[in-house]
Amino acid sequence: MAKMWDARFSKAENSRVNDFNSSISFDSRMFREDIDGSVAHATMLGKCGIISASEAEKIVEALLIIKNDIETGVLPIDPEAEDIHMFVEEVLTNRIGDTGKRLHTARSRNDQVALDIRLYLRREIKEVEDLILKLISAISSIAKENIDSVMPGYTHLQRAQPVTFAHYVLAYAQMFIRDYNRLTQVLERTSVSPLGSGALASTTYPIDRHMVAELLGLNGVTENSMDGVSDRDFLIEFTFALSLIMMHLSRFSEEIILWCTSEFSFVELDDAFSTGSSIMPQKKNPDIAELVRGKTGRVYGDLTTVLTMMKGIPLAYNKDMQEDKEAVFDAIDNSKLCIELFTSMIATMTVKKDRLRKAASGGFINATDCADYLVKKGLPFRDAYRVSGRLVAYCIEHSTDLESLTIDEYKTFSPLFDDDVYTAVNLDNCVNTRLVYGGPSRRSVEHQIKLIDNYVELKGAEND
Ligand code: ARG
């Protein structure tokens, strides 16, 4: 195919150079955004008198038909085209002749691609936001079912203090709320138009950049033409936001993998979200959770790709920047898949409340409460801590626990113990007396759930 720039060149491009240079295989997914950007640009050129109103109309009309033809498969994307921008322009010119050649007035592919990727990422950010809201809702539903499901909370993966399954999973809801808020901030910085930056030094035509931004529903325009064409911060930020989402999903996956072991046996995944083994008939493997954990590394890799790709680039556009797309697309595709599957996986898993309670009963996770009991009776905390420690050692030696000791046994450790100690070390009471804001008590957890549900409702409505 003849190149757009063959007037300046005396030789055709080496065929391998053509392939090496080409980005159509991956940037064709931005065809809608490319056309929307061109429609806005042509409309503005017409309104500003840079091309005639009838030319603008003709271009816009043809572009909309091209968009529809690509969508419906009538117009297959030519894999020989260099990129989606060249492809659309070529089709346009083939279809409407010389008028099509006027579209690229006052524009460069550099500001065009910068606009396209912003428009494309805006759509994807909103889709990821929707998936995150569904995930938060699924967590909230699990929490509602498990407000009284007492279980051990861990530090160092050692049983530490009693919490509930509701409180446990709501910790993850908070992470995903932060992720959602982060996406919203990235969306804001993504939603400005670089069009009019030209190749790097803007243009001499009397264009109206703000009109283009407004036509595209963007919040404003970039402030410096050289920054406008060479800024990919928004793309890196989005990849980072996805990396954090994946990190949160990966931690949650790790817990689920542990909880599915016979050793923990806190949850059971639905058969539809588990896999078997080709040799061991008894196996039921949490592959989905493992793949989510595994793909997290891949998304971090995409982040490293875009950060590293940008670090040595002088102003303004350089072809290195074409490498941004495959990385961010890979991060988007994999993160979306992971969020969706993970949500369905946890929504269908069974929580084994009896196993949670059994684990809560065995690990002296009420030893702090026992010490606090003595503090309430007047003992300084450090002394109470020692008494409780000696009691635990005694229990271990006699294979018993704090709930089962007789009052006489208690009294040999401190005269301050009385019958009410059983209320103090009762696991449900241990949880429900932690009334502090943000704690695991029923009252606090119900409040957490209410805030989360309100959040999901508000953000869902904003996104509609
Ligand atoms: N395919 C290119 C990219 O993705 C489009 C911009 C090309 N600009 C240029 N001066 N070669 O970055």
Side-chain angles (χ1 to χ4, degrees), residues 366-389 391 402 417 421 424-425:
N366 45 8
T368 316
D369 300 86
C370 180
D372 287 342
Y373 168 87
L374 293 172
V375 170
K376 279 169 204 150
K377 299 266 168 169
L379 209 59
F381 180 77
R382 275 290 159 241
D383 295 333
Y385 168 91
R386 286 194 67 79
V387 173
S388 181
L391 271 163
L402 293 172
F417 280 118
V421 68
V425 298

Side-chain angles (χ1 to χ4, degrees), residues 170-437:
L170 288 174
Y172 283 98
Q174 293 301 326
M175 298 179 214
F176 295 121
I177 286 177
R178 289 196 294 277
D179 287 328
Y180 187 98
N181 292 338
R182 198 168 359 257
L183 288 169
T184 306
Q185 291 163 356
V186 176
L187 181 63
E188 200 185 312
R189 282 187 285 277
T190 304
S191 303
V192 287
S193 172
L195 212 67
S197 300
L200 78 162
S202 78
T203 178
T204 54
Y205 293 96
I207 57 170
D208 185 341
R209 297 188 57 204
H210 292 89
M211 186 193 294
V212 172
E214 208 169 299
L215 287 170
L216 291 167
L218 299 175
N219 304 338
V221 299
T222 54
E223 297 294 331
N224 175 301
S225 65
M226 295 183 78
D227 183 49
V229 287
S230 63
D231 168 26
R232 293 293 181 273
D233 291 2
F234 59 94
L235 178 147
I236 297 174
E237 280 188 66
F238 183 30
T239 315
F240 172 69
L242 293 172
S243 298
L244 264 191
I245 291 170
M246 289 301 294
M247 184 267 277
H248 295 146
L249 281 178
S250 185
R251 289 183 70 182
F252 206 163
S253 292
E254 170 67 12
E255 310 250 29
I256 287 173
I257 293 162
L258 281 174
W259 292 344
C260 284
T261 60
S262 318
E263 286 75 6
F264 275 84
S265 199
F266 286 177
V267 299
E268 182 168 352
L269 296 180
D270 191 84
D271 282 357
F273 290 91
S274 313
T275 51
S277 153
S278 64
I279 174 171
M280 298 165 282
Q282 84 284 8
K283 289 290 286 285
K284 181 167 169 183
N285 296 329
D287 286 29
I288 304 299
E290 290 168 42
L291 268 177
V292 169
R293 193 178 55 184
K295 282 180 189 288
T296 303
R298 179 173 173 159
V299 176
Y300 290 180
D302 294 325
L303 176 62
T304 307
T305 298
V306 287
L307 280 171
T308 313
M309 181 269 290
M310 287 301 288
K311 80 184 243 307
I313 297 187
L315 290 174
Y317 178 85
N318 294 261
K319 191 70 174 219
D320 321 36
M321 289 160 73
Q322 180 166 288
E323 290 291 310
D324 60 355
K325 284 167 218 69
E326 277 170 297
V328 73
F329 294 163
D330 183 77
I332 292 167
D333 294 347
N334 282 289
S335 304
K336 277 165 68 180
L337 205 58
C338 288
I339 304 167
E340 261 185 286
L341 273 169
F342 188 92
T343 301
S344 310
M345 180 184 75
I346 61 168
T348 52
M349 76 184 178
T350 309
V351 179
K352 298 180 175 173
K353 301 183 184 189
D354 52 329
R355 290 283 312 180
L356 294 173
R357 189 166 284 271
K358 195 152 177 255
S361 313
F364 304 103
I365 59 177
N366 45 8
T368 316
D369 300 86
C370 180
D372 287 342
Y373 168 87
L374 293 172
V375 170
K376 279 169 204 150
K377 299 266 168 169
L379 209 59
F381 180 77
R382 275 290 159 241
D383 295 333
Y385 168 91
R386 286 194 67 79
V387 173
S388 181
R390 285 204 302 273
L391 271 163
V392 168
Y394 176 89
C395 287
I396 292 170
E397 202 181 315
H398 295 85
S399 306
T400 182
D401 54 39
L402 293 172
E403 294 95 309
S404 313
L405 291 177
T406 66
I407 191 63
D408 291 335
E409 283 175 303
Y410 266 118
K411 282 188 190 293
T412 60
F413 288 85
S414 165
L416 293 172
F417 280 118
D418 235 320
D419 273 343
D420 54 353
V421 68
Y422 297 106
T423 315
V425 298
N426 171 281
L427 287 175
D428 292 283
N429 293 337
C430 292
V431 167
N432 286 318
T433 48
R434 286 177 156 76
L435 288 163
V436 168
Y437 191 93

Side-chain angles (χ1 to χ4, degrees), residues 23 27 83 85 109-110 113 317 319 321-322 325:
S23 55
D27 65 16
D83 57 28
H85 327 294
R109 264 192 302 162
N110 297 352
V113 73
Y317 178 85
K319 191 70 174 219
M321 289 160 73
Q322 180 166 288
K325 284 167 218 69

